[in-house]
Amino acid sequence: MSLYDIVLGIIFLSQTGVGVLGNSLLLCFYVFTLFSSHRSRLLDPILVQLTLTNTIVLLSKGCPLVNFYFGDVYFLGSLGCKMVFYFQRMSRGLAICTMCLLSIFQAVTISPSSSRLAKHKVGVLKLIRPSCLLSWIFNMIIEVNVPVHITGSRRINSSHTEGFEVLYCYREKMLKEIIILPSLRDILCVGGMVWASGYIIVLLYRHQRKVQHIHRTSRSQKTSPEIRATQTVLLLLSIFVSAYCISCSSALYKVYEIHSGDWLVVVSTFTALCFPTISPFLLIHRDTQIFRSCCASWQKPSLHS
């Protein structure tokens, strides 16, 4: 085992471990809030789905690389590769759909009463839970053909002739017809994120202009919970889209440059794991209501004692 392998193994182990810990902690906060006396917020189901999706991404992408760089190169086999890549592709699509839902529903939530969206706000917000369920079903079905084109490493099966190796597994060339639907999903979801982000930015700008005279005359400039939540969503979207673009660029280059080396897989995977690692801590840091709900519940027994 070389120093290069040890360093990469430690990097991916740290990234995966920290990310799983953060998402598990955030999920516990949401579950605690759900079962406590405090009412859950409208977007909580989407945030719960985001934490679950982040965990699947981290485990399906990070754990195989940790095992690979720490010496067990052929640990998966053909069946293991099929399962790992299916969860990788499914969770990737689910993450894109979840972020799209989060951005759109956040835009609907903060839309002013004078806008066109306000007329349909109540009906649209009732679709949050069904949309989360449909996104799971849709992505599980749309990626069902992925295992067919994934096999064990070429290093243990020399019969592979077309395609390219992804460190611990081998991916055969896929027909263009097979990737049309996932590509359309990605384009539509990224387009939805861009539209929702632009709409949110415009609303925040108008709100800032309206209250500008208040900030000039008052020393108190506390941000409302709604504006703070909206800013958090915009920050999450910017991190997600940046990581998504870098990861896709690396993956596309790997497809067209078969002899590009393993470093592209490392860069693509590391970038793809950045968002699920960072996002839970960002949400915990900016979501003050979670800590207030937990502290209020913990203080209740002491008030009666």
Side-chain angles (χ1 to χ4, degrees), residues 98-153:
T98 303
M99 290 304 300
C100 181
L101 292 176
L102 181 61
S103 60
I104 292 176
F105 283 118
Q106 182 65 37
V108 173
T109 300
I110 67 170
S111 59
S113 56
S114 59
S115 66
R116 296 179 180 179
L117 286 177
K119 301 178 182 179
H120 311 284
K121 182 183 292 188
V122 176
V124 171
L125 292 178
K126 289 181 179 179
L127 299 176
I128 291 179
R129 295 178 185 273
S131 298
C132 292
L133 178 61
L134 286 176
S135 64
W136 279 89
I137 297 174
F138 175 72
N139 285 285
M140 291 176 68
I141 295 176
I142 200 177
E143 303 292 356
V144 73
N145 56 15
V146 170
V148 178
H149 303 277
I150 301 296
T151 57
S153 175

Short mmCIF file of all heavy atoms in Angstrom, two decimals, residues 98-153:
data_model
loop_
_atom_site.label_atom_id
_atom_site.label_comp_id
_atom_site.label_asym_id
_atom_site.label_seq_id
_atom_site.Cartn_x
_atom_site.Cartn_y
_atom_site.Cartn_z
N THR A 98 -34.58 16.39 -5.32
CA THR A 98 -34.86 16.96 -4.00
C THR A 98 -34.50 18.43 -3.93
O THR A 98 -35.26 19.26 -3.41
CB THR A 98 -34.09 16.19 -2.92
OG1 THR A 98 -34.44 14.80 -2.98
CG2 THR A 98 -34.43 16.73 -1.53
N MET A 99 -33.34 18.80 -4.49
CA MET A 99 -32.95 20.21 -4.49
C MET A 99 -33.87 21.04 -5.37
O MET A 99 -34.16 22.20 -5.07
CB MET A 99 -31.50 20.34 -4.97
CG MET A 99 -30.48 19.80 -3.99
SD MET A 99 -30.59 20.56 -2.36
CE MET A 99 -30.29 22.27 -2.75
N CYS A 100 -34.35 20.45 -6.46
CA CYS A 100 -35.31 21.14 -7.32
C CYS A 100 -36.62 21.39 -6.56
O CYS A 100 -37.17 22.49 -6.59
CB CYS A 100 -35.56 20.33 -8.58
SG CYS A 100 -36.72 21.11 -9.74
N LEU A 101 -37.10 20.36 -5.86
CA LEU A 101 -38.32 20.52 -5.07
C LEU A 101 -38.14 21.56 -3.98
O LEU A 101 -39.03 22.39 -3.73
CB LEU A 101 -38.72 19.17 -4.45
CG LEU A 101 -39.19 18.07 -5.39
CD1 LEU A 101 -39.45 16.78 -4.62
CD2 LEU A 101 -40.46 18.50 -6.13
N LEU A 102 -36.99 21.52 -3.31
CA LEU A 102 -36.73 22.47 -2.23
C LEU A 102 -36.75 23.90 -2.75
O LEU A 102 -37.34 24.80 -2.12
CB LEU A 102 -35.38 22.15 -1.59
CG LEU A 102 -34.95 23.05 -0.42
CD1 LEU A 102 -35.94 22.95 0.73
CD2 LEU A 102 -33.54 22.67 0.04
N SER A 103 -36.10 24.14 -3.88
CA SER A 103 -36.05 25.50 -4.42
C SER A 103 -37.42 25.98 -4.88
O SER A 103 -37.81 27.13 -4.61
CB SER A 103 -35.05 25.56 -5.58
OG SER A 103 -35.44 24.68 -6.63
N ILE A 104 -38.18 25.12 -5.55
CA ILE A 104 -39.49 25.53 -6.07
C ILE A 104 -40.47 25.78 -4.94
O ILE A 104 -41.17 26.80 -4.91
CB ILE A 104 -40.02 24.46 -7.04
CG1 ILE A 104 -39.18 24.43 -8.32
CG2 ILE A 104 -41.49 24.72 -7.38
CD1 ILE A 104 -39.56 23.36 -9.30
N PHE A 105 -40.54 24.85 -3.98
CA PHE A 105 -41.49 25.03 -2.87
C PHE A 105 -41.09 26.20 -1.98
O PHE A 105 -41.96 26.86 -1.40
CB PHE A 105 -41.60 23.75 -2.06
CG PHE A 105 -42.45 22.69 -2.71
CD1 PHE A 105 -41.91 21.47 -3.08
CD2 PHE A 105 -43.78 22.92 -2.97
CE1 PHE A 105 -42.68 20.49 -3.69
CE2 PHE A 105 -44.58 21.97 -3.58
CZ PHE A 105 -44.02 20.74 -3.94
N GLN A 106 -39.79 26.48 -1.85
CA GLN A 106 -39.37 27.66 -1.09
C GLN A 106 -39.81 28.93 -1.81
O GLN A 106 -40.24 29.90 -1.17
CB GLN A 106 -37.85 27.65 -0.90
CG GLN A 106 -37.32 28.81 -0.08
CD GLN A 106 -37.79 28.78 1.35
OE1 GLN A 106 -37.91 27.71 1.95
NE2 GLN A 106 -38.07 29.93 1.91
N ALA A 107 -39.69 28.93 -3.14
CA ALA A 107 -40.15 30.09 -3.91
C ALA A 107 -41.65 30.30 -3.75
O ALA A 107 -42.12 31.44 -3.63
CB ALA A 107 -39.79 29.90 -5.38
N VAL A 108 -42.41 29.20 -3.75
CA VAL A 108 -43.85 29.31 -3.56
C VAL A 108 -44.18 29.80 -2.15
O VAL A 108 -45.08 30.62 -1.94
CB VAL A 108 -44.53 27.95 -3.83
CG1 VAL A 108 -46.01 28.00 -3.49
CG2 VAL A 108 -44.35 27.55 -5.29
N THR A 109 -43.43 29.33 -1.17
CA THR A 109 -43.70 29.68 0.23
C THR A 109 -43.56 31.17 0.48
O THR A 109 -44.36 31.77 1.20
CB THR A 109 -42.75 28.89 1.16
OG1 THR A 109 -42.95 27.49 0.96
CG2 THR A 109 -43.02 29.24 2.61
N ILE A 110 -42.52 31.79 -0.09
CA ILE A 110 -42.26 33.20 0.19
C ILE A 110 -42.89 34.13 -0.84
O ILE A 110 -42.68 35.35 -0.77
CB ILE A 110 -40.75 33.47 0.25
CG1 ILE A 110 -40.10 33.28 -1.13
CG2 ILE A 110 -40.08 32.62 1.30
CD1 ILE A 110 -38.67 33.76 -1.20
N SER A 111 -43.65 33.58 -1.78
CA SER A 111 -44.26 34.44 -2.81
C SER A 111 -45.26 35.40 -2.16
O SER A 111 -46.06 35.00 -1.30
CB SER A 111 -44.96 33.58 -3.86
OG SER A 111 -45.96 32.78 -3.26
N PRO A 112 -45.24 36.67 -2.53
CA PRO A 112 -46.15 37.65 -1.93
C PRO A 112 -47.60 37.41 -2.34
O PRO A 112 -47.88 36.73 -3.34
CB PRO A 112 -45.63 38.99 -2.48
CG PRO A 112 -44.92 38.64 -3.74
CD PRO A 112 -44.33 37.27 -3.52
N SER A 113 -48.51 37.96 -1.58
CA SER A 113 -49.94 37.75 -1.84
C SER A 113 -50.39 38.35 -3.16
O SER A 113 -51.42 37.96 -3.70
CB SER A 113 -50.76 38.36 -0.69
OG SER A 113 -50.45 39.73 -0.54
N SER A 114 -49.62 39.29 -3.69
CA SER A 114 -49.99 39.93 -4.95
C SER A 114 -49.53 39.15 -6.18
O SER A 114 -49.88 39.51 -7.31
CB SER A 114 -49.41 41.34 -5.00
OG SER A 114 -48.00 41.30 -4.87
N SER A 115 -48.75 38.11 -5.99
CA SER A 115 -48.21 37.36 -7.13
C SER A 115 -49.21 36.31 -7.62
O SER A 115 -50.18 35.98 -6.94
CB SER A 115 -46.90 36.68 -6.73
OG SER A 115 -47.14 35.70 -5.74
N ARG A 116 -48.93 35.78 -8.81
CA ARG A 116 -49.79 34.74 -9.36
C ARG A 116 -49.68 33.44 -8.59
O ARG A 116 -50.64 32.68 -8.50
CB ARG A 116 -49.42 34.50 -10.83
CG ARG A 116 -49.67 35.70 -11.74
CD ARG A 116 -49.27 35.39 -13.18
NE ARG A 116 -49.50 36.53 -14.06
CZ ARG A 116 -49.22 36.54 -15.36
NH1 ARG A 116 -48.68 35.44 -15.92
NH2 ARG A 116 -49.46 37.61 -16.09
N LEU A 117 -48.51 33.19 -8.04
CA LEU A 117 -48.32 31.95 -7.28
C LEU A 117 -49.16 31.91 -6.02
O LEU A 117 -49.52 30.84 -5.53
CB LEU A 117 -46.83 31.79 -6.90
CG LEU A 117 -45.87 31.38 -8.01
CD1 LEU A 117 -44.45 31.35 -7.48
CD2 LEU A 117 -46.25 30.03 -8.60
N ALA A 118 -49.48 33.10 -5.47
CA ALA A 118 -50.24 33.15 -4.22
C ALA A 118 -51.63 32.52 -4.37
O ALA A 118 -52.17 31.97 -3.41
CB ALA A 118 -50.37 34.59 -3.75
N LYS A 119 -52.21 32.60 -5.57
CA LYS A 119 -53.53 32.03 -5.78
C LYS A 119 -53.53 30.51 -5.63
O LYS A 119 -54.54 29.91 -5.26
CB LYS A 119 -54.04 32.41 -7.18
CG LYS A 119 -54.14 33.91 -7.42
CD LYS A 119 -54.59 34.19 -8.83
CE LYS A 119 -54.66 35.70 -9.11
NZ LYS A 119 -55.08 35.98 -10.51
N HIS A 120 -52.39 29.89 -5.94
CA HIS A 120 -52.30 28.43 -5.90
C HIS A 120 -51.39 27.95 -4.77
O HIS A 120 -51.01 26.78 -4.75
CB HIS A 120 -51.78 27.90 -7.24
CG HIS A 120 -52.49 28.46 -8.44
ND1 HIS A 120 -53.74 28.05 -8.82
CD2 HIS A 120 -52.12 29.44 -9.33
CE1 HIS A 120 -54.11 28.71 -9.90
NE2 HIS A 120 -53.15 29.56 -10.23
N LYS A 121 -51.02 28.85 -3.85
CA LYS A 121 -50.03 28.50 -2.83
C LYS A 121 -50.50 27.35 -1.96
O LYS A 121 -49.76 26.38 -1.74
CB LYS A 121 -49.71 29.71 -1.95
CG LYS A 121 -48.67 29.43 -0.88
CD LYS A 121 -48.44 30.63 0.02
CE LYS A 121 -47.78 31.75 -0.71
NZ LYS A 121 -47.37 32.85 0.21
N VAL A 122 -51.72 27.39 -1.47
CA VAL A 122 -52.22 26.35 -0.57
C VAL A 122 -52.25 25.00 -1.28
O VAL A 122 -51.82 23.97 -0.73
CB VAL A 122 -53.63 26.72 -0.05
CG1 VAL A 122 -54.19 25.58 0.81
CG2 VAL A 122 -53.59 28.01 0.74
N GLY A 123 -52.74 24.98 -2.51
CA GLY A 123 -52.81 23.72 -3.24
C GLY A 123 -51.45 23.16 -3.58
O GLY A 123 -51.24 21.95 -3.52
N VAL A 124 -50.52 24.05 -3.95
CA VAL A 124 -49.18 23.60 -4.32
C VAL A 124 -48.44 23.04 -3.10
O VAL A 124 -47.78 21.99 -3.19
CB VAL A 124 -48.39 24.76 -4.95
CG1 VAL A 124 -46.93 24.37 -5.13
CG2 VAL A 124 -48.99 25.14 -6.29
N LEU A 125 -48.55 23.70 -1.97
CA LEU A 125 -47.84 23.25 -0.77
C LEU A 125 -48.37 21.91 -0.25
O LEU A 125 -47.66 21.21 0.47
CB LEU A 125 -47.93 24.31 0.32
CG LEU A 125 -47.17 25.61 0.01
CD1 LEU A 125 -47.36 26.62 1.14
CD2 LEU A 125 -45.69 25.35 -0.22
N LYS A 126 -49.61 21.56 -0.61
CA LYS A 126 -50.14 20.25 -0.23
C LYS A 126 -49.48 19.12 -1.01
O LYS A 126 -49.62 17.94 -0.64
CB LYS A 126 -51.65 20.21 -0.45
CG LYS A 126 -52.45 21.04 0.53
CD LYS A 126 -53.94 20.92 0.27
CE LYS A 126 -54.74 21.74 1.26
NZ LYS A 126 -56.21 21.65 0.99
N LEU A 127 -48.76 19.47 -2.07
CA LEU A 127 -48.12 18.46 -2.91
C LEU A 127 -46.71 18.11 -2.45
O LEU A 127 -46.02 17.34 -3.12
CB LEU A 127 -48.05 18.96 -4.35
CG LEU A 127 -49.38 19.25 -5.04
CD1 LEU A 127 -49.14 19.84 -6.42
CD2 LEU A 127 -50.23 17.98 -5.15
N ILE A 128 -46.26 18.66 -1.31
CA ILE A 128 -44.89 18.43 -0.88
C ILE A 128 -44.63 16.96 -0.59
O ILE A 128 -43.69 16.35 -1.13
CB ILE A 128 -44.57 19.29 0.37
CG1 ILE A 128 -44.53 20.77 -0.02
CG2 ILE A 128 -43.24 18.86 0.98
CD1 ILE A 128 -44.24 21.69 1.14
N ARG A 129 -45.44 16.36 0.25
CA ARG A 129 -45.23 14.94 0.60
C ARG A 129 -45.41 14.01 -0.60
O ARG A 129 -44.59 13.12 -0.82
CB ARG A 129 -46.16 14.54 1.75
CG ARG A 129 -45.84 15.27 3.05
CD ARG A 129 -46.80 14.88 4.17
NE ARG A 129 -46.57 15.67 5.36
CZ ARG A 129 -45.70 15.38 6.31
NH1 ARG A 129 -44.98 14.27 6.20
NH2 ARG A 129 -45.56 16.15 7.37
N PRO A 130 -46.50 14.16 -1.41
CA PRO A 130 -46.60 13.32 -2.62
C PRO A 130 -45.43 13.49 -3.57
O PRO A 130 -44.99 12.53 -4.20
CB PRO A 130 -47.93 13.78 -3.25
CG PRO A 130 -48.72 14.33 -2.13
CD PRO A 130 -47.73 14.97 -1.22
N SER A 131 -44.91 14.72 -3.69
CA SER A 131 -43.78 14.95 -4.59
C SER A 131 -42.53 14.23 -4.11
O SER A 131 -41.77 13.69 -4.92
CB SER A 131 -43.50 16.45 -4.70
OG SER A 131 -44.61 17.13 -5.23
N CYS A 132 -42.33 14.21 -2.80
CA CYS A 132 -41.18 13.49 -2.24
C CYS A 132 -41.29 11.99 -2.53
O CYS A 132 -40.30 11.35 -2.94
CB CYS A 132 -41.09 13.73 -0.74
SG CYS A 132 -40.64 15.42 -0.28
N LEU A 133 -42.48 11.44 -2.35
CA LEU A 133 -42.68 10.01 -2.61
C LEU A 133 -42.50 9.69 -4.09
O LEU A 133 -41.83 8.70 -4.44
CB LEU A 133 -44.08 9.60 -2.14
CG LEU A 133 -44.48 8.14 -2.38
CD1 LEU A 133 -43.53 7.19 -1.64
CD2 LEU A 133 -45.92 7.89 -1.95
N LEU A 134 -43.05 10.52 -4.96
CA LEU A 134 -42.92 10.28 -6.40
C LEU A 134 -41.48 10.39 -6.87
O LEU A 134 -41.07 9.67 -7.79
CB LEU A 134 -43.81 11.27 -7.16
CG LEU A 134 -45.31 11.01 -7.12
CD1 LEU A 134 -46.07 12.12 -7.83
CD2 LEU A 134 -45.66 9.66 -7.73
N SER A 135 -40.71 11.28 -6.26
CA SER A 135 -39.30 11.40 -6.66
C SER A 135 -38.52 10.14 -6.35
O SER A 135 -37.64 9.73 -7.11
CB SER A 135 -38.67 12.61 -5.98
OG SER A 135 -38.64 12.45 -4.57
N TRP A 136 -38.84 9.48 -5.22
CA TRP A 136 -38.20 8.19 -4.89
C TRP A 136 -38.57 7.14 -5.93
O TRP A 136 -37.70 6.45 -6.46
CB TRP A 136 -38.63 7.73 -3.50
CG TRP A 136 -37.89 8.37 -2.38
CD1 TRP A 136 -38.22 9.51 -1.73
CD2 TRP A 136 -36.68 7.89 -1.76
NE1 TRP A 136 -37.30 9.79 -0.74
CE2 TRP A 136 -36.34 8.82 -0.74
CE3 TRP A 136 -35.86 6.80 -1.97
CZ2 TRP A 136 -35.21 8.66 0.07
CZ3 TRP A 136 -34.73 6.64 -1.17
CH2 TRP A 136 -34.42 7.56 -0.18
N ILE A 137 -39.86 7.01 -6.21
CA ILE A 137 -40.33 5.99 -7.15
C ILE A 137 -39.75 6.24 -8.55
O ILE A 137 -39.27 5.31 -9.22
CB ILE A 137 -41.87 5.98 -7.20
CG1 ILE A 137 -42.43 5.59 -5.82
CG2 ILE A 137 -42.37 5.01 -8.26
CD1 ILE A 137 -43.95 5.70 -5.74
N PHE A 138 -39.78 7.50 -8.98
CA PHE A 138 -39.31 7.85 -10.33
C PHE A 138 -37.84 7.50 -10.51
O PHE A 138 -37.44 6.89 -11.51
CB PHE A 138 -39.55 9.33 -10.57
CG PHE A 138 -38.99 9.83 -11.87
CD1 PHE A 138 -39.58 9.49 -13.08
CD2 PHE A 138 -37.86 10.64 -11.89
CE1 PHE A 138 -39.06 9.95 -14.28
CE2 PHE A 138 -37.35 11.10 -13.09
CZ PHE A 138 -37.94 10.75 -14.29
N ASN A 139 -37.01 7.88 -9.54
CA ASN A 139 -35.57 7.64 -9.68
C ASN A 139 -35.19 6.18 -9.49
O ASN A 139 -34.21 5.72 -10.08
CB ASN A 139 -34.80 8.51 -8.67
CG ASN A 139 -34.75 9.96 -9.08
OD1 ASN A 139 -34.01 10.34 -9.97
ND2 ASN A 139 -35.57 10.79 -8.45
N MET A 140 -35.96 5.44 -8.71
CA MET A 140 -35.71 4.01 -8.60
C MET A 140 -36.01 3.29 -9.90
O MET A 140 -35.33 2.32 -10.26
CB MET A 140 -36.54 3.43 -7.45
CG MET A 140 -36.09 3.88 -6.07
SD MET A 140 -37.17 3.29 -4.74
CE MET A 140 -36.82 1.53 -4.80
N ILE A 141 -37.02 3.76 -10.63
CA ILE A 141 -37.39 3.13 -11.90
C ILE A 141 -36.47 3.55 -13.03
O ILE A 141 -36.03 2.74 -13.85
CB ILE A 141 -38.86 3.47 -12.25
CG1 ILE A 141 -39.80 2.84 -11.23
CG2 ILE A 141 -39.21 2.99 -13.66
CD1 ILE A 141 -41.26 3.20 -11.42
N ILE A 142 -36.14 4.85 -13.06
CA ILE A 142 -35.39 5.39 -14.20
C ILE A 142 -33.96 4.86 -14.26
O ILE A 142 -33.34 4.81 -15.32
CB ILE A 142 -35.39 6.94 -14.13
CG1 ILE A 142 -35.07 7.53 -15.50
CG2 ILE A 142 -34.39 7.45 -13.12
CD1 ILE A 142 -35.13 9.04 -15.52
N GLU A 143 -33.42 4.42 -13.13
CA GLU A 143 -32.04 3.92 -13.09
C GLU A 143 -31.98 2.39 -13.00
O GLU A 143 -30.93 1.83 -12.70
CB GLU A 143 -31.30 4.52 -11.89
CG GLU A 143 -31.26 6.04 -11.85
CD GLU A 143 -30.40 6.65 -12.96
OE1 GLU A 143 -29.78 5.89 -13.72
OE2 GLU A 143 -30.36 7.89 -13.06
N VAL A 144 -33.10 1.72 -13.28
CA VAL A 144 -33.14 0.27 -13.11
C VAL A 144 -32.25 -0.45 -14.12
O VAL A 144 -31.85 -1.61 -13.89
CB VAL A 144 -34.60 -0.22 -13.23
CG1 VAL A 144 -35.08 -0.15 -14.67
CG2 VAL A 144 -34.77 -1.61 -12.64
N ASN A 145 -31.89 0.20 -15.23
CA ASN A 145 -31.05 -0.45 -16.24
C ASN A 145 -29.56 -0.29 -15.97
O ASN A 145 -28.74 -0.85 -16.69
CB ASN A 145 -31.38 0.09 -17.63
CG ASN A 145 -31.25 1.60 -17.72
OD1 ASN A 145 -30.66 2.24 -16.84
ND2 ASN A 145 -31.82 2.18 -18.75
N VAL A 146 -29.19 0.48 -14.95
CA VAL A 146 -27.77 0.71 -14.67
C VAL A 146 -27.02 -0.58 -14.35
O VAL A 146 -25.91 -0.80 -14.88
CB VAL A 146 -27.62 1.73 -13.52
CG1 VAL A 146 -26.18 1.81 -13.04
CG2 VAL A 146 -28.09 3.11 -13.98
N PRO A 147 -27.54 -1.49 -13.52
CA PRO A 147 -26.78 -2.71 -13.20
C PRO A 147 -26.43 -3.57 -14.41
O PRO A 147 -25.45 -4.32 -14.37
CB PRO A 147 -27.72 -3.47 -12.25
CG PRO A 147 -28.57 -2.42 -11.63
CD PRO A 147 -28.78 -1.41 -12.72
N VAL A 148 -27.22 -3.46 -15.49
CA VAL A 148 -26.95 -4.27 -16.68
C VAL A 148 -25.60 -3.91 -17.29
O VAL A 148 -24.90 -4.78 -17.85
CB VAL A 148 -28.08 -4.08 -17.72
CG1 VAL A 148 -27.79 -4.88 -18.98
CG2 VAL A 148 -29.42 -4.48 -17.12
N HIS A 149 -25.19 -2.67 -17.17
CA HIS A 149 -23.97 -2.18 -17.83
C HIS A 149 -22.79 -2.07 -16.87
O HIS A 149 -21.76 -1.50 -17.23
CB HIS A 149 -24.25 -0.82 -18.47
CG HIS A 149 -25.38 -0.84 -19.44
ND1 HIS A 149 -25.22 -1.22 -20.76
CD2 HIS A 149 -26.69 -0.56 -19.30
CE1 HIS A 149 -26.39 -1.16 -21.39
NE2 HIS A 149 -27.29 -0.75 -20.52
N ILE A 150 -22.93 -2.60 -15.66
CA ILE A 150 -21.85 -2.56 -14.67
C ILE A 150 -21.43 -3.99 -14.34
O ILE A 150 -22.27 -4.86 -14.08
CB ILE A 150 -22.29 -1.84 -13.39
CG1 ILE A 150 -22.71 -0.40 -13.72
CG2 ILE A 150 -21.17 -1.84 -12.35
CD1 ILE A 150 -21.60 0.47 -14.24
N THR A 151 -20.13 -4.26 -14.35
CA THR A 151 -19.60 -5.57 -13.99
C THR A 151 -18.40 -5.39 -13.07
O THR A 151 -18.03 -4.27 -12.71
CB THR A 151 -19.18 -6.37 -15.24
OG1 THR A 151 -18.22 -5.60 -15.97
CG2 THR A 151 -20.37 -6.65 -16.13
N GLY A 152 -17.80 -6.51 -12.70
CA GLY A 152 -16.62 -6.46 -11.85
C GLY A 152 -15.42 -5.86 -12.57
O GLY A 152 -15.45 -5.61 -13.77
N SER A 153 -14.37 -5.63 -11.83
CA SER A 153 -13.19 -4.97 -12.37
C SER A 153 -12.58 -5.74 -13.53
O SER A 153 -12.60 -6.98 -13.57
CB SER A 153 -12.13 -4.80 -11.26
OG SER A 153 -10.95 -4.26 -11.79
#
